[in-house]
Amino acid sequence: MRKKVLYNRIIFIGVSIALQAAILILTIINFESLYIYFYTFSVLLSISVVIFIVNNKSNPAYKIAWIIPILLFPVFGGLFYLLFGGNRLSAKDRRNLRNSNIILKESFKEGFEEAPNNQSKYILGSSLYPPYKDTYSEYLPSGEVKFEKMVEELKKARKFIFLEYFIIQEGKMWDTVLNILAQKVKEGVDVRLIYDDFGCVTKLPYKYNKMIEALGIKCLVFNPLIPLLYVRLNNRDHRKILVIDGHTAFTGGINLADEYINEVERFGHWKDTAIMLKGPGVFSFTVMFLSMWNYLSNTFEDYKKYRCPEDYIPPFCQEPGYVQPYADSPLDNELVSENVYMNIINEAKKYVYITTPYLILDNEMMTALSLAAKKGVDVRIITPFIPDKPFIHAVSRAHYQTLIEAGVKIYEYVPGFIHAKTFVSDDTYGVVGTINLDYRSLYLHFECAAWLYKTSSLIQIRDDFALTLQKCHEISLADCRRSNIFTRIIQAFLRLFAPLM
């Protein structure tokens, strides 16, 4: 019954949006007596939109992907860009964003470390999240390990549990977590959940938040899907955050669904990763969650109440190095995620190892990776062998030849699908988070990650990369050149419009 309701909802939304688009087009076409005026207006609108796109701050590849269809279809192109292009903010959104930044700055005014280097300074200046010393970080090399750790930590909760996930699906993983959350509510623990409606539309029953609230868990849905043509469909909450009592946090690629722990098989063996933090650095993830909570609920509360307890001593409290959690928003015109990745690549002296499910790169990232390899840096990238989205995987493969010719080594994970999003360089820098190497993560989604500098967890990431490499097939130039002309044409076409996928 639930599946029937679920698919009825998806069909209803899809059909409603398609009908609106069709009615809009038919109405325009049937304005016969006014068509010449409407056509002139549409062409002028499209020209104006193209001029706006050329002069705005978005990525050149994103601009080209819009300009081509607008010029090919001037009657509808400009109108469709106004509906779906860009990230325009309402007055309410601008006010909320401004208030959120003021609260962030106030929350981080005291008790935090100076930035240890320019990379850290950039993160602090652009995202407002500071670096921390004496924060324990533990790399979790699989969904199974993360699941075991999070269950262990959830059972210890005494004050609050905050969860923010892109995908939740009923099954062993989520049902286990939900049972613990329901029990913790009975014990007086403040339990809150945020999930993305688009990420869960095929996973959860309609109005699932009401079912969650009936258990005493506070629940908010990010950007609920409605059957209307509107631009904000593009912006999704892709973050994965779990915070427990202010002293323990998790982030990474792992959502709360059974494929992430290989309880069900989708696209072969699912390889994913996460990181667990303990200590003062957890406060940044607490603030990320509460910022989103306040934004969605239109409330404000004192973040400082949820800081790591002063008497909490994390494991190995003399942990070396720095941890700097950070968030990225599509609404602030600052490409924090991409710039953090670029900084790591540009600073590398010996190696950069990357895992990503999607390799859909803009010119800047392609140039940075190619230049690093040409300088003698050992640049290696692991992508899936079995894709979850064949068209997207075709675009990823379209980038292989250029990178390999520059000296970058590309590997595909033979057992199945790799969903991990990790960077590690020179045993010195690293990132574990939710951020894919594609346009959606870098430009359109709310994302988060932990930046690591000289921590012991960097060695764990490097060693896991080496183990994963043993299960991979290296892509050669010969492999790239084996593609037939038809495949290359399709790849070239898809690559052109990759920013819109």
Side-chain angles (χ1 to χ4, degrees):
M1 183 64 181
R2 281 184 176 179
K3 283 187 177 180
K4 185 177 179 182
V5 172
L6 175 67
Y7 287 108
N8 284 347
R9 182 191 177 207
I10 296 168
I11 291 169
F12 174 72
I13 292 172
V15 169
S16 296
I17 291 174
L19 281 174
Q20 289 170 66
I23 290 169
L24 178 64
I25 292 168
L26 288 172
T27 301
I28 292 169
I29 290 172
N30 285 294
F31 259 132
E32 293 182 7
S33 61
L34 301 175
Y35 186 76
I36 185 62
Y37 302 106
F38 179 79
Y39 181 82
T40 303
F41 170 78
S42 296
V43 170
L44 291 174
L45 175 64
S46 291
I47 292 171
S48 301
V49 166
V50 168
I51 293 170
F52 169 78
I53 293 171
V54 168
N55 287 280
N56 71 19
K57 294 181 180 180
S58 61
N59 183 273
Y62 189 74
K63 293 179 181 182
I64 292 169
W66 269 110
I67 288 172
I68 290 172
I70 290 172
L71 294 180
L72 285 175
F73 306 102
V75 175
F76 304 116
L79 186 60
F80 270 76
Y81 178 82
L82 294 178
L83 287 171
F84 299 111
N87 286 311
R88 296 176 302 281
L89 296 180
S90 65
K92 178 184 175 183
D93 287 330
R94 286 194 296 270
R95 184 173 62 252
N96 286 346
L97 188 62
R98 186 166 55 249
N99 290 339
S100 177
N101 285 343
I102 291 170
I103 295 171
L104 274 177
K105 289 179 181 177
E106 189 66 31
S107 299
F108 294 129
K109 257 189 175 179
E110 55 188 34
F112 301 99
E113 304 292 334
E114 291 291 326
N117 55 35
N118 288 338
Q119 287 196 35
S120 179
K121 286 178 184 176
Y122 169 75
I123 297 171
L124 176 59
S126 57
S127 75
L128 307 179
Y129 289 93
Y132 302 82
K133 290 183 73 175
D134 298 328
T135 295
Y136 171 73
S137 60
E138 182 179 346
Y139 174 71
L140 309 176
S142 70
E144 292 87 334
V145 173
K146 189 229 177 171
F147 181 41
E148 181 181 344
K149 286 283 186 182
M150 71 184 293
V151 167
E152 177 185 331
E153 297 297 332
L154 282 168
K155 289 179 178 178
K156 299 176 188 175
R158 295 292 177 267
K159 296 178 181 177
F160 64 87
I161 300 171
F162 298 155
L163 303 99
E164 182 179 343
Y165 280 86
F166 180 60
I167 291 174
I168 296 173
Q169 184 172 24
E170 294 172 310
K172 177 182 176 180
M173 190 179 193
W174 174 237
D175 292 349
T176 301
V177 170
L178 185 58
N179 287 335
I180 297 172
L181 299 180
Q183 178 58 39
K184 288 300 172 182
V185 168
K186 293 176 183 176
E187 296 173 11
V189 176
D190 178 9
V191 181
R192 307 188 198 184
L193 170 67
I194 299 171
Y195 67 85
D196 185 275
D197 201 33
F198 183 83
C200 296
V201 68
T202 62
K203 314 292 184 183
L204 294 177
Y206 183 46
K207 293 188 176 179
Y208 187 71
N209 57 310
K210 301 299 181 184
M211 299 167 60
I212 292 295
E213 289 168 354
L215 298 173
I217 299 168
K218 300 168 188 173
C219 184
L220 294 174
V221 182
F222 180 87
N223 202 357
L225 290 176
I226 57 175
L228 293 174
L229 287 166
Y230 75 128
V231 68
R232 295 299 292 277
L233 281 170
N234 271 332
N235 301 136
R236 310 312 317 178
D237 184 0
H238 194 244
R239 307 193 310 197
K240 293 94 180 167
I241 298 173
L242 168 60
V243 179
I244 300 166
D245 289 349
H247 58 62
T248 300
F250 295 81
T251 194
I254 300 161
N255 284 295
L256 302 179
D258 281 357
E259 61 263 33
Y260 294 86
I261 57 173
N262 289 290
E263 278 294 314
V264 298
E265 183 176 315
R266 293 186 70 210
F267 322 116
H269 183 270
W270 192 290
K271 165 69 175 173
D272 218 327
T273 61
I275 195 160
M276 178 176 70
L277 305 183
K278 286 179 174 284
V282 169
F283 183 58
S284 285
F285 281 114
T286 306
V287 170
M288 283 179 215
F289 176 89
L290 289 172
S291 297
M292 183 64 76
W293 185 271
N294 289 345
Y295 176 77
L296 296 176
S297 62
N298 199 26
T299 59
F300 295 94
E301 53 190 304
D302 184 4
Y303 299 162
K304 295 177 184 177
K305 294 189 304 183
Y306 301 93
R307 263 189 184 164
C308 180
E310 291 184 4
D311 59 351
Y312 178 78
I313 301 175
F316 313 108
C317 60
Q318 296 304 313
E319 173 79 7
Y322 292 79
V323 173
Q324 191 165 5
Y326 63 94
D328 193 6
S329 164
L331 307 181
D332 59 6
N333 294 317
E334 181 68 34
L335 302 177
V336 178
S337 298
E338 182 171 38
N339 289 335
V340 170
Y341 283 165
M342 294 272 283
N343 285 339
I344 291 175
I345 296 166
N346 292 335
E347 288 287 326
K349 300 294 187 294
K350 296 178 181 178
Y351 76 84
V352 178
Y353 297 159
I354 301 167
T355 60
T356 179
Y358 315 117
L359 193 64
I360 303 175
L361 309 176
D362 60 18
N363 183 68
E364 290 82 357
M365 187 66 73
M366 287 284 287
T367 301
L369 290 167
S370 299
L371 182 58
K374 289 175 180 179
K375 290 190 299 185
V377 177
D378 181 12
V379 182
R380 304 187 183 206
I381 304 173
I382 299 177
T383 66
F385 175 70
I386 301 176
D388 65 335
K389 302 177 181 72
F391 281 110
I392 301 300
H393 194 54
V395 179
S396 292
R397 284 180 164 174
H399 290 87
Y400 286 0
Q401 183 167 338
T402 302
L403 290 170
I404 292 169
E405 287 174 342
V408 177
K409 296 175 182 176
I410 308 288
Y411 302 82
E412 290 188 346
Y413 180 67
V414 174
F417 184 64
I418 189 161
H419 190 252
K421 308 99 168 44
T422 64
F423 269 60
V424 62
S425 172
D426 296 348
D427 298 353
T428 303
Y429 297 105
V431 170
V432 180
T434 67
I435 307 156
N436 297 317
L437 277 175
D438 67 3
Y439 287 87
R440 291 208 156 271
S441 272
L442 298 176
Y443 295 96
L444 297 175
H445 290 167
F446 290 84
E447 303 280 0
C448 68
W451 178 82
L452 308 165
Y453 176 61
K454 293 185 176 180
T455 63
S456 57
S457 55
L458 291 167
I459 308 305
Q460 299 168 354
I461 301 170
R462 181 202 66 191
D463 291 348
D464 183 55
F465 187 94
L467 288 172
T468 306
L469 214 57
Q470 295 174 16
K471 301 175 183 177
C472 295
H473 164 69
E474 183 175 0
I475 306 299
S476 66
L477 274 177
D479 292 328
C480 298
R481 290 166 178 164
R482 246 180 241 123
S483 301
N484 60 47
I485 187 65
F486 177 75
T487 300
R488 292 190 181 199
I489 291 171
I490 294 295
Q491 287 180 336
F493 178 81
L494 292 174
R495 185 172 172 178
L496 180 63
F497 293 101
L500 305 183
M501 292 182 182

